[in-house]
Amino acid sequence: MLGFPAAFTGYDEPGRQGHGDAATRASVEGALHASGDIEAGEITVSISGSYIILEGFVRRRGDVERAIEIAEGVVGRGYVRARLLRR
């Protein structure tokens, strides 16, 4: 990979299943929005190192745990951190 070393940094980090940051974030966002049992409109997905960070607001009790479960289904158990508040 001559000339492109920075573009592939962290590409195969554990918990990322070989996805780049944008693809991983899009996969988690898609899974959250496709889920019919939580309102994902106020959840922001970001990446910090090997971890997916969920921030924002949920409406019902149990939605924080459900959002983590959905995200872990994409990136693997232990690679999701939640900063979600219930309104």
Side-chain angles (χ1 to χ4, degrees):
M1 288 191 270
L2 295 174
F4 299 104
F8 297 100
T9 300
Y11 188 75
D12 283 325
E13 291 181 31
R16 302 291 290 284
Q17 300 177 357
H19 296 284
D21 286 354
T24 301
R25 197 176 88 245
S27 295
V28 172
E29 288 172 345
L32 288 169
H33 286 285
S35 156
D37 56 348
I38 67 168
E39 177 64 42
E42 294 187 71
I43 298 175
T44 302
V45 179
S46 61
I47 296 176
S48 179
S50 296
Y51 295 95
I52 294 295
I53 310 297
L54 304 177
E55 297 178 292
F57 299 95
V58 295
R59 297 178 192 254
R60 296 180 308 224
R61 186 179 305 252
D63 282 352
V64 172
E65 292 80 11
R66 180 65 180 133
I68 292 169
E69 179 183 313
I70 292 167
E72 285 181 337
V74 176
V75 298
R77 188 170 173 89
Y79 290 98
V80 178
R81 300 294 182 253
R83 299 176 184 158
L84 297 167
L85 300 173
R86 191 173 68 124
R87 284 191 189 202

